[in-house]
Amino acid sequence: MTETTATRERIARDASRVAARVARAGPRRYEAMILVDSGLASKDWDATEALLKDLLVRHGAKILVSGKWDERKLAYEIRGVRRATYWLAYFEGPTEAIAAFRHDAGLSETVLRSMVVAMEDAEEVPADVTSRRTTVAIGDENEIR
Amino acid sequence: MTDDRKFKKFERGGCRFCRARVRAIDYKDTPNLQKLTTGQGKLFSRKRSGNCARHQRQLKVAVKRARFLSLLPYVAM
């Protein structure tokens, strides 16, 4: 199939739009949630948190906001652990840092589970890790038919 | 079209997230996610929950993320 002039123009237009968005929004921001055994975390939280931060920072990520999100009973056991401390961090960094972080987190004995989610460009980084995006009342179960 | 105008269209509709003008459903908001899952931990259908397509898709992703982080069970007893 031959590439028409219109197609080439459209591709160039899309590429410039993407470049403009990247220039406007800056580096991609991410949200990382890491689970740590509560027993381990309560022994020496400062050392545990330093280790978690290092997992991100060592690959060039810059942490914007981070902290303990919650400590709760897990919905199901992970590696024989029933209670975990959730550590949440908002950070920005290169794309390669995410794959490197996932690799390191998988090898770490401290990290029970971790997840990194890319944030939307328009989304604001919350000032506090305990704040939620969906804080409004959305009705109750009685609405379910 | 602004987001507000998008939601206005559904204001009187059945979607609870549109009524509350929720832009993105958070996987960390477990109390709200739990309201939309059965006792077994399965997601309610759109027909039962009344969600619009856009929010049902967001809800699906949020529940899957919450399950992965053990905030919600995959299968509840």
Side-chain angles (χ1 to χ4, degrees):
Chain A
M1 200 168 73
T2 54
E3 204 176 56
T4 62
T5 316
T7 312
R8 274 197 297 276
E9 276 172 9
R10 187 172 49 78
I11 290 169
R13 208 167 47 238
D14 288 351
S16 68
R17 262 190 212 146
V18 170
R21 188 183 59 80
V22 169
R24 194 174 58 243
R28 205 106 163 86
R29 291 167 306 158
Y30 302 90
E31 180 184 324
M33 180 76 99
I34 303 179
L35 272 75
V36 185
D37 182 358
S38 278
L40 201 73
S42 59
K43 271 182 200 161
D44 189 357
W45 174 246
D46 290 338
T48 312
E49 193 173 28
L51 192 143
L52 300 179
K53 279 184 180 172
D54 181 55
L55 279 176
L56 290 169
V57 173
R58 76 167 77 145
H59 298 295
K62 184 185 161 202
I63 296 175
L64 305 169
V65 184
S66 71
K68 195 190 276 188
W69 178 68
D70 202 2
E71 194 210 320
R72 58 171 75 186
K73 188 174 178 285
L74 297 176
Y76 54 89
E77 275 185 28
I78 303 174
R79 279 196 246 154
V81 176
R82 289 168 189 271
R83 253 192 116 70
T85 301
Y86 288 76
W87 185 77
L88 181 65
Y90 295 92
F91 65 97
E92 60 185 27
T95 318
E96 304 81 54
I98 311 303
F101 162 75
R102 283 196 182 125
H103 178 256
D104 287 1
L107 293 176
S108 169
E109 287 183 9
T110 314
V111 176
L112 283 179
R113 191 154 287 192
S114 66
M115 187 176 77
V116 179
V117 180
M119 292 173 74
E120 296 290 327
D121 289 337
E123 208 176 322
E124 292 290 324
V125 174
D128 179 18
V129 289
T130 50
S131 62
R132 288 193 304 244
R133 272 181 284 173
T134 317
T135 47
V136 285
I138 56 148
D140 55 25
E141 305 91 85
N142 299 333
E143 257 190 78
I144 310 258
R145 287 179 283 270
Chain B
M1 191 188 275
T2 63
D3 274 336
D4 268 8
R5 279 174 65 194
K6 260 187 208 171
F7 288 134
K8 205 165 188 180
K9 189 175 158 192
F10 300 106
E11 231 169 34
R12 287 189 302 275
C15 180
R16 61 183 73 205
F17 292 105
C18 287
R19 281 203 307 270
R21 301 195 170 222
V22 173
R23 289 185 68 175
I25 301 175
D26 194 0
Y27 66 88
K28 299 189 288 298
D29 193 9
T30 40
N32 276 340
L33 296 182
Q34 249 163 356
K35 284 178 193 168
L36 294 155
T37 52
T38 65
Q40 216 181 350
K42 294 164 88 173
L43 203 64
F44 277 119
S45 64
R46 279 183 63 195
K47 191 176 176 182
R48 297 201 57 189
S49 64
N51 288 341
C52 66
R54 181 184 172 196
H55 281 119
Q56 183 76 359
R57 279 197 301 274
Q58 286 187 6
L59 181 70
K60 174 186 76 179
V61 174
V63 166
K64 284 176 180 180
R65 284 174 178 171
R67 280 176 184 160
F68 177 71
L69 290 171
S70 195
L71 295 168
L72 291 181
Y74 280 99
V75 184
M77 293 297 142

